[in-house]
Amino acid sequence: MPKINSRPATRIGYGFDSHEFRAGIPLKIGGVKLDHDRGLGGHSDGDVLLHAITDALLGAVAAPDIGALFPPSDAKWKGADSIVFLREALKRVRGAGYAVANMDASLILAAPKIGPHTSAIRMRVANLLAVTPDCVGLKAKTPEGLNLENAAIAHVVVLLQASRNTSRGKKRPRRR
Ligand SMILES: [Zn+2]
């Protein structure tokens, strides 16, 4: 029988999310409040980037996705701070014996311009993931030719590495 590798040294995760812009609500991206006349509606506080990161983390350890863990139909999550979801995903990552190595994201939105806020968002996300800002990639693009002027989209990949401390206490197999 082939040997099954139950705990690979690295794991990859991918997350996607989209939200519609709505007037009269604050705009939050990557846990940072941005000055804009519209915010992102839908699930919780609409933080499209944190949702995609959360799903990437959950996917990397094959956990249920954000919609299954925090159903948008549950009034409890209306307007909720998305950091709560990210923290749960990180708990599951740690529980599986992994830590975040790095992540990379593409944000697609017509406005506001993300450039001036890139370093603030990267610092905030790095802090949440317990990595250094140089392990958080963030690219913002406008939706050229997509006819999606009223949406914000996030694609995220994360790489996890097996954390050293989980093997502590485990006996090494004896060599014969
Ligand atoms: Zn979302």
Side-chain angles (χ1 to χ4, degrees):
M1 241 174 69
K3 208 182 153 206
I4 292 169
N5 187 0
S6 60
R7 197 163 163 267
T10 58
R11 279 173 173 249
I12 192 165
Y14 167 73
F16 166 87
D17 196 32
S18 70
H19 283 263
E20 194 173 5
F21 278 101
R22 220 175 275 166
I25 52 174
L27 176 63
K28 256 165 99 180
I29 293 182
V32 176
K33 241 186 204 168
L34 304 185
D35 210 18
H36 195 50
D37 58 343
R38 295 169 302 154
L40 295 170
H43 195 293
S44 62
D45 61 2
D47 195 323
V48 68
L49 181 59
L50 290 194
H51 293 179
I53 296 171
T54 298
D55 255 353
L57 292 168
L58 291 170
V61 293
D65 70 12
I66 190 171
L69 293 178
F70 310 100
S73 53
D74 190 337
K76 194 166 133 188
W77 306 121
K78 197 172 186 287
D81 189 335
S82 295
I83 287 171
V84 173
F85 312 144
L86 187 72
R87 291 224 165 100
E88 174 63 27
L90 285 168
K91 214 172 94 186
R92 285 169 184 255
V93 163
R94 278 194 300 271
Y98 288 88
V100 176
N102 78 310
M103 62 150 277
D104 187 26
S106 288
L107 267 176
I108 301 144
L109 73 176
K113 284 220 179 321
I114 296 300
H117 310 288
T118 301
S119 66
I121 295 171
R122 285 178 60 216
M123 283 197 8
R124 181 79 180 115
V125 170
N127 186 264
L128 291 167
L129 297 179
V131 297
T132 51
D134 65 346
C135 291
V136 177
L138 179 63
K139 301 148 334 263
K141 311 185 138 322
T142 52
E144 298 296 319
L146 291 175
N147 247 326
L148 291 170
E149 308 306 311
N150 206 36
I153 294 166
H155 293 269
V156 170
V157 285
V158 296
L159 187 71
L160 305 183
Q161 58 191 0
S163 36
R164 262 167 264 146
N165 52 7
T166 52
S167 58
R168 209 190 291 154
K170 265 188 199 162
K171 277 184 188 157
R172 282 193 185 174
R174 208 178 286 161
R175 291 210 176 199
R176 281 163 209 255

Short mmCIF file of all heavy atoms in Angstrom, two decimals, residues 15-55:
data_model
loop_
_atom_site.label_atom_id
_atom_site.label_comp_id
_atom_site.label_asym_id
_atom_site.label_seq_id
_atom_site.Cartn_x
_atom_site.Cartn_y
_atom_site.Cartn_z
N GLY A 15 -8.77 31.47 -1.57
CA GLY A 15 -10.06 32.04 -1.20
C GLY A 15 -10.49 33.11 -2.19
O GLY A 15 -9.66 33.84 -2.74
N PHE A 16 -11.79 33.15 -2.41
CA PHE A 16 -12.38 34.16 -3.30
C PHE A 16 -13.57 34.77 -2.59
O PHE A 16 -14.30 34.08 -1.87
CB PHE A 16 -12.86 33.51 -4.61
CG PHE A 16 -13.77 34.40 -5.42
CD1 PHE A 16 -13.26 35.31 -6.32
CD2 PHE A 16 -15.16 34.35 -5.25
CE1 PHE A 16 -14.10 36.15 -7.06
CE2 PHE A 16 -16.00 35.17 -5.98
CZ PHE A 16 -15.46 36.08 -6.88
N ASP A 17 -13.79 36.09 -2.77
CA ASP A 17 -15.00 36.71 -2.22
C ASP A 17 -15.36 37.93 -3.05
O ASP A 17 -14.49 38.53 -3.71
CB ASP A 17 -14.79 37.11 -0.76
CG ASP A 17 -16.11 37.39 -0.05
OD1 ASP A 17 -17.12 36.75 -0.39
OD2 ASP A 17 -16.14 38.26 0.84
N SER A 18 -16.64 38.28 -3.01
CA SER A 18 -17.09 39.51 -3.68
C SER A 18 -18.24 40.12 -2.88
O SER A 18 -19.01 39.40 -2.23
CB SER A 18 -17.55 39.20 -5.11
OG SER A 18 -18.75 38.47 -5.11
N HIS A 19 -18.30 41.43 -2.90
CA HIS A 19 -19.38 42.17 -2.24
C HIS A 19 -19.80 43.35 -3.10
O HIS A 19 -18.99 43.87 -3.88
CB HIS A 19 -18.93 42.70 -0.87
CG HIS A 19 -18.91 41.64 0.18
ND1 HIS A 19 -19.93 41.43 1.06
CD2 HIS A 19 -17.96 40.71 0.46
CE1 HIS A 19 -19.61 40.43 1.86
NE2 HIS A 19 -18.42 39.96 1.52
N GLU A 20 -21.04 43.78 -2.89
CA GLU A 20 -21.56 44.91 -3.65
C GLU A 20 -21.44 46.19 -2.81
O GLU A 20 -21.67 46.16 -1.58
CB GLU A 20 -23.03 44.65 -3.99
CG GLU A 20 -23.56 45.59 -5.06
CD GLU A 20 -24.97 45.22 -5.51
OE1 GLU A 20 -25.57 44.30 -4.92
OE2 GLU A 20 -25.46 45.86 -6.43
N PHE A 21 -21.08 47.28 -3.48
CA PHE A 21 -21.01 48.57 -2.78
C PHE A 21 -22.41 49.08 -2.47
O PHE A 21 -23.32 48.92 -3.27
CB PHE A 21 -20.27 49.61 -3.64
CG PHE A 21 -18.77 49.50 -3.55
CD1 PHE A 21 -18.04 48.88 -4.56
CD2 PHE A 21 -18.10 50.01 -2.44
CE1 PHE A 21 -16.66 48.78 -4.47
CE2 PHE A 21 -16.72 49.91 -2.35
CZ PHE A 21 -16.00 49.29 -3.36
N ARG A 22 -22.53 49.66 -1.28
CA ARG A 22 -23.81 50.22 -0.86
C ARG A 22 -23.56 51.54 -0.13
O ARG A 22 -22.58 51.66 0.61
CB ARG A 22 -24.48 49.23 0.11
CG ARG A 22 -25.99 49.13 -0.12
CD ARG A 22 -26.57 48.06 0.76
NE ARG A 22 -26.47 46.72 0.18
CZ ARG A 22 -26.67 45.62 0.87
NH1 ARG A 22 -26.92 45.66 2.16
NH2 ARG A 22 -26.62 44.45 0.28
N ALA A 23 -24.46 52.51 -0.38
CA ALA A 23 -24.29 53.82 0.24
C ALA A 23 -24.62 53.76 1.72
O ALA A 23 -25.40 52.91 2.16
CB ALA A 23 -25.21 54.83 -0.45
N GLY A 24 -24.01 54.64 2.48
CA GLY A 24 -24.39 54.80 3.88
C GLY A 24 -23.77 53.83 4.86
O GLY A 24 -24.15 53.81 6.03
N ILE A 25 -22.81 53.00 4.42
CA ILE A 25 -22.12 52.12 5.36
C ILE A 25 -20.60 52.32 5.22
O ILE A 25 -20.12 52.67 4.14
CB ILE A 25 -22.49 50.62 5.19
CG1 ILE A 25 -22.34 50.16 3.73
CG2 ILE A 25 -23.92 50.33 5.66
CD1 ILE A 25 -22.56 48.65 3.55
N PRO A 26 -19.87 52.11 6.32
CA PRO A 26 -18.42 52.32 6.25
C PRO A 26 -17.73 51.26 5.39
O PRO A 26 -18.21 50.14 5.27
CB PRO A 26 -17.97 52.23 7.71
CG PRO A 26 -19.06 51.51 8.43
CD PRO A 26 -20.32 51.70 7.65
N LEU A 27 -16.61 51.64 4.79
CA LEU A 27 -15.83 50.71 3.96
C LEU A 27 -14.64 50.17 4.76
O LEU A 27 -13.81 50.94 5.26
CB LEU A 27 -15.33 51.41 2.70
CG LEU A 27 -14.42 50.57 1.79
CD1 LEU A 27 -15.17 49.35 1.25
CD2 LEU A 27 -13.88 51.42 0.64
N LYS A 28 -14.59 48.84 4.87
CA LYS A 28 -13.47 48.21 5.56
C LYS A 28 -12.84 47.18 4.65
O LYS A 28 -13.52 46.32 4.10
CB LYS A 28 -13.97 47.51 6.84
CG LYS A 28 -13.65 48.29 8.11
CD LYS A 28 -14.44 47.78 9.27
CE LYS A 28 -13.66 46.84 10.14
NZ LYS A 28 -14.50 46.38 11.28
N ILE A 29 -11.53 47.30 4.47
CA ILE A 29 -10.80 46.32 3.65
C ILE A 29 -9.54 45.90 4.40
O ILE A 29 -8.72 46.75 4.77
CB ILE A 29 -10.46 46.90 2.25
CG1 ILE A 29 -11.77 47.11 1.45
CG2 ILE A 29 -9.52 45.96 1.49
CD1 ILE A 29 -11.58 47.63 0.05
N GLY A 30 -9.43 44.63 4.66
CA GLY A 30 -8.27 44.11 5.39
C GLY A 30 -8.21 44.63 6.82
O GLY A 30 -7.13 44.80 7.38
N GLY A 31 -9.38 44.87 7.41
CA GLY A 31 -9.44 45.35 8.79
C GLY A 31 -9.13 46.83 8.93
O GLY A 31 -9.01 47.35 10.04
N VAL A 32 -8.99 47.54 7.79
CA VAL A 32 -8.67 48.97 7.82
C VAL A 32 -9.88 49.75 7.27
O VAL A 32 -10.42 49.40 6.23
CB VAL A 32 -7.42 49.28 6.95
CG1 VAL A 32 -7.15 50.78 6.90
CG2 VAL A 32 -6.21 48.53 7.49
N LYS A 33 -10.28 50.78 8.01
CA LYS A 33 -11.39 51.63 7.56
C LYS A 33 -10.89 52.61 6.52
O LYS A 33 -9.93 53.34 6.76
CB LYS A 33 -11.97 52.38 8.76
CG LYS A 33 -13.43 52.04 9.01
CD LYS A 33 -14.04 52.89 10.09
CE LYS A 33 -15.22 52.12 10.68
NZ LYS A 33 -15.71 52.71 11.91
N LEU A 34 -11.52 52.62 5.34
CA LEU A 34 -11.10 53.53 4.28
C LEU A 34 -12.16 54.61 4.08
O LEU A 34 -13.35 54.34 4.17
CB LEU A 34 -10.90 52.77 2.96
CG LEU A 34 -9.92 51.59 2.97
CD1 LEU A 34 -9.75 51.04 1.57
CD2 LEU A 34 -8.57 52.01 3.54
N ASP A 35 -11.66 55.81 3.80
CA ASP A 35 -12.57 56.94 3.60
C ASP A 35 -13.21 56.83 2.21
O ASP A 35 -12.52 56.93 1.20
CB ASP A 35 -11.77 58.24 3.73
CG ASP A 35 -12.64 59.37 4.25
OD1 ASP A 35 -13.71 59.06 4.82
OD2 ASP A 35 -12.26 60.53 4.07
N HIS A 36 -14.52 56.60 2.16
CA HIS A 36 -15.22 56.44 0.89
C HIS A 36 -16.70 56.71 1.12
O HIS A 36 -17.19 56.55 2.25
CB HIS A 36 -14.99 55.01 0.35
CG HIS A 36 -15.36 54.85 -1.09
ND1 HIS A 36 -14.90 55.69 -2.07
CD2 HIS A 36 -16.11 53.92 -1.74
CE1 HIS A 36 -15.37 55.28 -3.25
NE2 HIS A 36 -16.11 54.21 -3.07
N ASP A 37 -17.42 57.09 0.05
CA ASP A 37 -18.84 57.42 0.24
C ASP A 37 -19.72 56.17 0.30
O ASP A 37 -20.90 56.26 0.61
CB ASP A 37 -19.32 58.37 -0.88
CG ASP A 37 -19.13 57.78 -2.27
OD1 ASP A 37 -18.35 56.81 -2.40
OD2 ASP A 37 -19.75 58.28 -3.22
N ARG A 38 -19.17 55.01 -0.02
CA ARG A 38 -19.94 53.77 0.05
C ARG A 38 -19.13 52.68 0.73
O ARG A 38 -17.90 52.71 0.73
CB ARG A 38 -20.31 53.29 -1.36
CG ARG A 38 -21.25 54.24 -2.11
CD ARG A 38 -21.36 53.87 -3.58
NE ARG A 38 -20.07 53.87 -4.23
CZ ARG A 38 -19.76 53.14 -5.31
NH1 ARG A 38 -20.66 52.36 -5.84
NH2 ARG A 38 -18.56 53.20 -5.84
N GLY A 39 -19.83 51.71 1.31
CA GLY A 39 -19.17 50.56 1.92
C GLY A 39 -19.61 49.29 1.24
O GLY A 39 -20.32 49.33 0.23
N LEU A 40 -19.17 48.15 1.77
CA LEU A 40 -19.53 46.87 1.16
C LEU A 40 -20.63 46.19 1.97
O LEU A 40 -20.49 45.97 3.17
CB LEU A 40 -18.30 45.97 1.06
CG LEU A 40 -17.22 46.51 0.10
CD1 LEU A 40 -15.93 45.72 0.24
CD2 LEU A 40 -17.71 46.50 -1.34
N GLY A 41 -21.74 45.91 1.29
CA GLY A 41 -22.89 45.30 1.96
C GLY A 41 -22.77 43.79 2.00
O GLY A 41 -21.78 43.21 1.60
N GLY A 42 -23.82 43.17 2.53
CA GLY A 42 -23.85 41.70 2.61
C GLY A 42 -23.36 41.20 3.95
O GLY A 42 -23.53 41.86 4.97
N HIS A 43 -22.71 40.04 3.93
CA HIS A 43 -22.26 39.33 5.13
C HIS A 43 -21.43 40.23 6.07
O HIS A 43 -20.48 40.89 5.62
CB HIS A 43 -21.42 38.14 4.67
CG HIS A 43 -21.18 37.11 5.73
ND1 HIS A 43 -20.43 37.36 6.85
CD2 HIS A 43 -21.60 35.82 5.84
CE1 HIS A 43 -20.39 36.27 7.60
NE2 HIS A 43 -21.10 35.32 7.01
N SER A 44 -21.80 40.26 7.35
CA SER A 44 -21.04 40.94 8.40
C SER A 44 -20.70 42.40 8.04
O SER A 44 -21.58 43.12 7.59
CB SER A 44 -19.77 40.15 8.73
OG SER A 44 -18.91 40.07 7.61
N ASP A 45 -19.42 42.79 8.24
CA ASP A 45 -19.02 44.17 7.91
C ASP A 45 -18.57 44.29 6.45
O ASP A 45 -18.07 45.33 6.04
CB ASP A 45 -17.92 44.66 8.87
CG ASP A 45 -16.66 43.81 8.80
OD1 ASP A 45 -16.61 42.87 7.98
OD2 ASP A 45 -15.72 44.08 9.56
N GLY A 46 -18.73 43.21 5.67
CA GLY A 46 -18.43 43.24 4.24
C GLY A 46 -16.95 43.31 3.90
O GLY A 46 -16.59 43.68 2.78
N ASP A 47 -16.08 42.94 4.84
CA ASP A 47 -14.63 43.05 4.58
C ASP A 47 -14.19 41.93 3.62
O ASP A 47 -13.81 40.83 4.02
CB ASP A 47 -13.85 42.98 5.89
CG ASP A 47 -12.41 43.44 5.73
OD1 ASP A 47 -11.81 43.15 4.67
OD2 ASP A 47 -11.88 44.09 6.65
N VAL A 48 -14.25 42.27 2.34
CA VAL A 48 -14.04 41.29 1.27
C VAL A 48 -12.67 40.62 1.36
O VAL A 48 -12.54 39.42 1.10
CB VAL A 48 -14.27 41.99 -0.10
CG1 VAL A 48 -13.19 43.01 -0.39
CG2 VAL A 48 -14.42 41.02 -1.24
N LEU A 49 -11.66 41.39 1.77
CA LEU A 49 -10.30 40.82 1.84
C LEU A 49 -10.18 39.84 3.01
O LEU A 49 -9.66 38.74 2.85
CB LEU A 49 -9.26 41.94 1.94
CG LEU A 49 -7.80 41.50 2.01
CD1 LEU A 49 -7.41 40.68 0.78
CD2 LEU A 49 -6.87 42.70 2.15
N LEU A 50 -10.68 40.23 4.18
CA LEU A 50 -10.59 39.32 5.32
C LEU A 50 -11.41 38.05 5.07
O LEU A 50 -11.02 36.97 5.51
CB LEU A 50 -11.05 40.01 6.62
CG LEU A 50 -10.14 41.10 7.18
CD1 LEU A 50 -10.55 41.43 8.62
CD2 LEU A 50 -8.67 40.73 7.14
N HIS A 51 -12.52 38.17 4.35
CA HIS A 51 -13.32 36.98 4.05
C HIS A 51 -12.55 36.02 3.14
O HIS A 51 -12.57 34.81 3.34
CB HIS A 51 -14.65 37.37 3.39
CG HIS A 51 -15.57 38.12 4.29
ND1 HIS A 51 -16.80 38.59 3.90
CD2 HIS A 51 -15.43 38.49 5.60
CE1 HIS A 51 -17.38 39.22 4.91
NE2 HIS A 51 -16.56 39.18 5.95
N ALA A 52 -11.90 36.57 2.13
CA ALA A 52 -11.14 35.72 1.20
C ALA A 52 -9.94 35.09 1.91
O ALA A 52 -9.61 33.92 1.68
CB ALA A 52 -10.69 36.54 -0.01
N ILE A 53 -9.28 35.84 2.82
CA ILE A 53 -8.17 35.27 3.58
C ILE A 53 -8.69 34.15 4.48
O ILE A 53 -8.08 33.08 4.58
CB ILE A 53 -7.46 36.36 4.44
CG1 ILE A 53 -6.82 37.42 3.54
CG2 ILE A 53 -6.41 35.73 5.35
CD1 ILE A 53 -6.30 38.65 4.30
N THR A 54 -9.83 34.40 5.13
CA THR A 54 -10.42 33.39 6.02
C THR A 54 -10.71 32.10 5.24
O THR A 54 -10.37 31.00 5.69
CB THR A 54 -11.73 33.94 6.64
OG1 THR A 54 -11.41 35.09 7.42
CG2 THR A 54 -12.43 32.91 7.51
N ASP A 55 -11.31 32.23 4.07
CA ASP A 55 -11.62 31.05 3.26
C ASP A 55 -10.35 30.35 2.77
O ASP A 55 -10.32 29.13 2.67
CB ASP A 55 -12.52 31.43 2.08
CG ASP A 55 -13.96 30.99 2.32
OD1 ASP A 55 -14.23 30.28 3.32
OD2 ASP A 55 -14.83 31.35 1.50
#
